């Protein structure tokens, strides 16, 4: 993916461009002396710039940096908890490391870390609480609902720009790449399928906003698109068996979309392989469809008893992307078609059929809230709460290993 930046960064200056100081020699003229001094000054300036470049490459991002500043992630931190070390790339300035493949905006990373803390608050094992097997899984599912609710809020804010919308997608991708297994195993596979479907609609909706803002393309200033798409593909492939009604079909649409705009799914070898597999399936289906059309000839067009009804709507005039959210036991529940999507309607009906008390967000599983934590030792509650929640966002998650 080609990266466009508004300013040059010090790391773009090649160390090979630094000239050694000129050797001392007898002064032959004032002009020669001035030229020698200018050369020496230029050499010292380049050397200092190179030293600054080396510092910038390892510098961690300032917490007050603009939210659209891109930050690096280390290879281990992408899929697991980062093991902090001086060599770790996490939170370094991405513009100072233009060749590093893993990066997101500071806002996206901040959202991920905040949601990660919310997940820890719902982890019974972290609190040493005896709870039923799926407690932490349902707690993680609750955090996913909170993420989708936050996305809904930012979508419906008039002042919101495409960068902020994409930051929510980045945070969601980061979270799902690390913690999706915790709700994968809960005993409500149907709700998981519908949840995966709404996640896909959120991603497609965000891509729509990037297109509208002219930010979807190989030269987009949003340099994380290919990487984030890869994280979503790695997430959704694990739910293939759960999504019995094509709730995960958005993965094909996403790959076609980014391919059409010249975006390379980069940085993640597994994601690249998944994308190529999806392309191959698409090609095979298109070839089979073309062969079927050639066999039928013009019969469909000339048939007098052809069905002119809209296959995307049922008798109650509800589109397919609404009926697909109905419980599988409902007589008019449909297999999802991804010819169309509509965030506003989908989140509305997802909430109707799969929300709790008319909401998709909540704090029912938050163990830092007294009403959710039953313990004979109140001091233990305060102690765990402090260890998990206080401190700088991100660091408190690592100490739980």
């Amino acid at each position: 993916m080609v990266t466009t930046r508004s300013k040059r960064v010090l790391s773009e200056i090649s160390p090979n461009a630094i000239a050694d100081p000129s050797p001392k020699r007898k002064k032959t003229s004032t002009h020669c002396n001035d030229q020698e001094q200018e050369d020496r000054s230029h050499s010292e300036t380049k050397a200092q710039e190179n030293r600054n470049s080396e510092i910038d490459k390892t510098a961690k991002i300032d917490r007050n940096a603009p939210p659209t500043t891109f930050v690096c992630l280390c290879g281990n931190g992408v899929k697991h908890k980062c093991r902090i070390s001086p060599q770790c790339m996490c939170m370094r300035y991405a513009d100072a490391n233009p060749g590093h493949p893993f990066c997101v905006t500071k806002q996206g990373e901040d959202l991920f870390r905040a949601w990660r803390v919310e997940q820890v608050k719902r982890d019974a094992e972290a609190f040493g609480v005896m709870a039923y097997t799926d407690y932490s899984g349902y707690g993680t599912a609750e955090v996913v609902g909170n993420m989708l609710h936050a996305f809904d809020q930012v979508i419906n804010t008039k002042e919101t720009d495409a960068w902020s919308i994409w930051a929510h997608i980045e945070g969601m991708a980061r979270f799902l790449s690390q913690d999706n297994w915790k709700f994968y195993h809960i005993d409500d596979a149907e709700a998981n399928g519908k949840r995966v479907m709404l996640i896909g609609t959120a991603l497609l909706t965000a891509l729509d906003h990037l297109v509208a803002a002219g930010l979807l393309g190989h030269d987009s200033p949003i340099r994380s698109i290919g990487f984030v798409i890869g994280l979503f593909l790695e997430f959704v492939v694990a739910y293939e068996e759960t999504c019995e009604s094509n709730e995960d079909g958005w993965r094909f649409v996403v790959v076609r979309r980014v391919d059409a705009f010249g975006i390379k799914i980069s940085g993640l070898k597994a994601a690249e392989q998944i994308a190529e597999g999806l392309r191959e399936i698409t090609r095979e289906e298109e070839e089979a469809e073309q062969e079927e059309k050639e066999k039928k000839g013009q019969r469909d067009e000339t048939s007098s008893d052809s069905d002119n009804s809209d296959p995307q709507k049922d008798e109650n005039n509800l589109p397919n992307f609404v009926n697909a959210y109905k419980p599988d036991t409902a007589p008019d529940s449909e297999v999802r078609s991804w010819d169309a999507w509509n965030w506003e309607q989908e989140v509305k009906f997802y909430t109707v059929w799969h929300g709790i008390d008319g909401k998709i967000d909540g704090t029912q599983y938050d163990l830092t809230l007294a009403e959710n934590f039953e313990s004979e030792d109140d001091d233990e509650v305060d102690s765990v709460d402090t260890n998990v929640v206080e401190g700088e966002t991100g660091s408190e998650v690592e100490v739980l290993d």
Side-chain angles (χ1 to χ4, degrees):
M1 180 172 62
V2 179
T3 302
T4 302
R5 295 185 296 281
S6 58
K7 297 181 180 179
R8 292 185 68 207
V9 295
L10 293 176
S11 60
E12 293 174 336
I13 302 175
S14 172
N16 297 325
I18 301 175
D20 292 328
S22 300
K24 292 184 178 180
R25 57 190 178 189
K26 294 181 180 180
K27 184 170 73 171
T28 56
S29 67
T30 302
H31 173 74
C32 292
N33 184 60
D34 291 344
Q35 184 64 44
E36 182 179 350
Q37 183 65 31
E38 182 178 345
D39 290 343
R40 184 179 295 111
S41 176
H42 178 70
S43 176
E44 291 173 353
T45 299
K46 298 291 286 184
Q48 181 61 46
E49 288 179 342
N50 185 63
R51 287 193 293 271
N52 290 341
S53 175
E54 292 301 319
I55 295 173
D56 284 350
K57 285 183 179 180
T58 60
K60 301 293 185 178
I61 191 168
D62 187 276
R63 67 172 61 198
N64 296 318
T68 55
T69 304
F70 281 96
V71 300
C72 293
L73 304 171
C74 73
N76 190 51
V78 169
K79 300 297 292 182
H80 310 284
K81 296 183 182 67
C82 174
R83 308 302 180 191
I84 303 300
S85 70
Q87 294 76 33
C88 176
M89 291 296 296
C90 283
M91 301 309 292
R92 293 185 186 183
Y93 286 91
D95 278 348
N97 300 275
H100 191 69
F102 311 129
C103 68
V104 294
T105 63
K106 178 179 178 294
Q107 183 183 2
E109 184 66 7
D110 286 345
L111 284 168
F112 157 66
R113 294 187 176 209
W115 290 330
R116 190 66 185 87
V117 171
E118 291 301 310
Q119 190 279 325
V120 174
K121 290 180 182 180
R122 293 158 173 81
D123 190 336
E125 183 178 353
F127 281 76
V129 176
M130 296 297 293
Y132 59 90
T133 304
D134 288 343
Y135 187 95
S136 297
Y138 276 101
T140 302
E142 184 174 74
V143 176
V144 174
N146 292 347
M147 291 192 298
L148 293 168
H149 176 68
F151 181 80
D152 184 53
Q153 287 185 312
V154 75
I155 284 291
N156 290 299
T157 301
K158 292 182 179 180
E159 295 78 14
T160 297
D161 60 14
W163 281 83
S164 184
I165 292 172
W166 185 251
H168 280 71
I169 291 297
E170 289 176 325
M172 201 180 299
R174 290 275 287 126
F175 184 91
L176 294 172
S177 70
Q178 294 195 5
D179 289 292
N180 73 82
W181 63 270
K182 291 180 179 176
F183 70 86
Y184 176 84
H185 294 290
I186 64 174
D187 56 6
D188 192 352
E190 180 183 331
N192 268 346
K194 308 308 179 185
R195 195 174 290 114
V196 168
M197 182 159 54
L198 191 60
I199 288 170
T201 296
L203 175 56
L204 290 170
T205 301
L207 292 176
D208 287 342
H209 280 270
L210 293 188
V211 172
L215 293 172
L216 188 63
H218 70 277
D219 57 350
S220 173
I222 301 182
R223 55 189 291 182
S224 63
I225 298 175
F227 168 58
V228 168
I229 294 296
L231 292 180
F232 274 101
L233 291 180
E234 289 193 352
F235 155 74
V236 72
V237 73
Y239 287 82
E240 189 170 2
E241 293 184 3
T242 301
C243 299
E244 297 179 350
S245 298
N246 199 38
E247 293 96 339
D248 59 346
W250 50 267
R251 52 190 173 146
F252 292 94
V253 183
V254 168
V255 171
R256 288 199 298 268
R257 202 91 185 275
V258 296
D259 284 351
F261 281 86
I263 295 172
K264 185 177 184 297
I265 299 172
S266 59
L268 300 166
K269 184 174 293 186
E272 295 172 3
Q273 293 173 348
I274 293 169
E276 185 53 42
L278 295 173
R279 295 186 189 103
E280 181 62 28
I281 293 173
T282 299
R283 286 192 292 267
E284 292 175 356
E285 290 179 347
E286 289 176 347
E287 291 174 1
E289 183 178 352
Q290 183 61 33
E291 290 178 2
E292 185 66 21
K293 285 183 179 180
E294 292 176 355
K295 290 179 180 179
K296 287 185 176 181
Q298 302 298 319
R299 285 182 299 172
D300 290 342
E301 296 181 5
T302 58
S303 176
S304 59
D305 58 349
S306 60
D307 184 6
N308 295 321
S309 63
D310 185 352
Q312 288 292 309
K313 294 187 177 182
D314 69 354
E315 58 183 7
N316 296 318
N317 208 36
L318 290 175
N320 166 269
F321 54 69
V322 168
N323 285 326
Y325 284 95
K326 291 181 178 179
D328 294 341
T329 55
D332 51 353
S333 176
E334 296 183 24
V335 173
R336 177 64 189 258
S337 168
W338 288 96
D339 295 331
W341 52 88
N342 183 300
W343 172 260
E344 183 179 0
Q345 291 193 51
E346 291 189 44
V347 72
K348 173 184 175 181
F349 285 96
Y350 173 88
T351 304
V352 169
W353 289 310
H354 304 284
I356 298 176
D357 297 329
K359 301 189 303 179
I360 63 171
D361 61 319
T363 57
Q364 178 181 344
Y365 294 90
D366 186 344
L367 291 170
T368 66
L369 301 179
E371 60 267 28
N372 296 337
F373 197 113
E374 296 180 2
S375 174
E376 296 179 358
D377 187 354
D378 292 336
D379 292 335
E380 180 185 358
V381 179
D382 295 335
S383 174
V384 176
D385 181 21
T386 300
N387 289 333
V388 174
V389 180
E390 288 186 357
E392 185 177 345
T393 303
S395 61
E396 74 282 0
V397 175
E398 321 310 330
V399 301
L400 296 177
D401 288 348

